[in-house]
Amino acid sequence: MRAVLRDTVLAEAPAEDLVRIEGNWYFPPASLTPGLFIESPTAYTCGWKGDAQYYSVLIAGEPQTDLAWSYPRPYPASLERVGRDFAGYIAFDPAVSVLD
């Protein structure tokens, strides 16, 4: 599967390597295209997943604010709920197309 924004591939991995949570596909960190992601200062805590890390994405050298996020240290109960470790996996804003 691929995460694409304006003809730029942000991440690519086989479907079996992704994790689906609440309608979002989470890509493994190794699947990200290097050099496109910048940590954002945006803070958010999900009540059941934990503290999120947001990322801005560079498209044609311009940062697109907060289009991706991950949970670097998800709550242990969330790992049980999801049934798989998704620590550090990256999900994308709906502006990013996730394609088969």
Side-chain angles (χ1 to χ4, degrees), residues 1-6 8-15 18-21 23-28 31-32 67-69 90-100:
M1 297 184 74
R2 289 179 292 138
V4 180
L5 181 65
R6 295 190 218 151
T8 299
V9 176
L10 307 179
E12 188 167 16
L18 278 63
V19 177
R20 183 102 166 151
I21 303 170
N24 294 305
W25 287 107
Y26 283 74
F27 286 75
S31 71
L32 302 179
L67 288 186
W69 67 89
I90 306 286
F92 295 96
D93 183 90
V96 175
S97 298
V98 176
L99 312 167
D100 259 334

Side-chain angles (χ1 to χ4, degrees), residues 3 7 10 13 22-23 29 31 44-45 47 63 65 72 74 76-77 80 83 92 94:
D7 298 324
L10 307 179
E22 295 181 316
S31 71
Y44 174 74
T45 300
T65 305
E80 291 176 28
F92 295 96

Side-chain angles (χ1 to χ4, degrees), residues 27-42:
F27 286 75
S31 71
L32 302 179
T33 301
L36 297 182
F37 296 83
I38 303 165
E39 285 190 7
S40 167
T42 299

